Amino acid sequence: HNVARVVFISPTLIAENPISSFALTLTSMPLLGHIVLKKIAAGKSAEFIQKSFYPQKPSPQQRAALHQKLNNPLIWKGAIIYKHQQQELGLKNVKIPAGAGMIIVRGELDASVNWPLQENALRPLIQDWGNVAIHVIKKAGHALPWTEPERVARIVRCALRTDEPADCGGPGS
């Protein structure tokens, strides 16, 4: 494969809040799991939306659309299964091709992930950390594709046009 650039937006490579085997088993039970997930979906949806958008606030339309989508027990069941798999597998299956340019775009005030923890997980996967372009968007949180689409698009477009992605930030990032 001839991969020229790898772009991570708000990278979350490792699970920070472990899912217990008990929680996985309980939520996987056909009837009981559905009931439990249905009970917690509304509260978890509101918490997820608030934390993902922080420090911004979603518009009423964004909040309503996301809440409708997330207020679904199957979404939470899938998230729990994925997170548990992520815990179990770690980063064994993540391969970054040698020589590929690495661009990371993250929010300065991301309240959803711990950047030092994610960076420590990412470093062993990259042969030359000195060639990684990290763009920190000021006063932004985790949900960059929804809260900062123009700034993210500018960084990615620039990175695709140049061999020096570190110069793509521009003002405000």
Side-chain angles (χ1 to χ4, degrees):
H1 300 279
N2 189 13
V3 176
R5 303 269 190 293
V6 177
V7 179
F8 282 116
I9 300 172
S10 302
T12 309
L13 298 172
I14 59 171
E16 294 181 17
N17 301 310
I19 299 292
S20 70
S21 295
F22 174 75
L24 179 67
T25 301
L26 176 66
T27 56
S28 296
M29 294 175 143
L31 184 58
L32 185 58
H34 186 79
I35 292 168
V36 168
L37 289 169
K38 191 171 183 175
K39 278 225 176 260
I40 66 167
K44 286 293 183 186
S45 297
E47 178 186 330
F48 179 82
I49 293 166
Q50 179 181 351
K51 198 172 185 182
S52 293
F53 274 79
Y54 177 85
Q56 292 95 340
K57 295 196 183 313
S59 69
Q61 295 84 0
Q62 286 174 314
R63 182 183 302 279
L66 285 168
H67 188 72
Q68 182 177 357
K69 182 177 184 175
L70 293 172
N71 197 14
N72 177 340
L74 294 177
I75 294 286
W76 291 101
K77 181 178 181 178
I80 288 168
I81 291 168
Y82 172 75
K83 196 171 192 180
H84 192 265
Q85 289 171 342
Q86 190 182 35
Q87 282 171 211
E88 297 298 308
L89 293 174
L91 299 173
K92 289 183 248 177
N93 295 333
V94 178
K95 304 286 185 246
I96 298 174
M102 176 67 59
I103 299 136
I104 297 171
V105 184
R106 66 181 191 83
E108 172 188 38
L109 303 173
D110 188 335
S112 294
V113 298
N114 176 314
W115 170 243
L117 186 65
Q118 299 301 327
E119 179 184 352
N120 287 339
L122 188 57
R123 276 184 180 267
L125 302 173
I126 300 170
Q127 289 182 352
D128 186 3
W129 189 258
N131 287 331
V132 175
I134 300 176
H135 300 278
V136 180
I137 297 180
K138 302 287 184 202
K139 299 179 183 174
H142 186 75
L144 295 177
W146 295 275
T147 61
E148 301 292 339
E150 295 85 14
R151 291 201 272 186
V152 170
R154 182 178 64 232
I155 291 167
V156 172
R157 274 195 304 270
C158 180
L160 293 174
R161 286 192 301 255
T162 181
D163 287 332
E164 298 186 27
D167 296 335
C168 294
S173 64

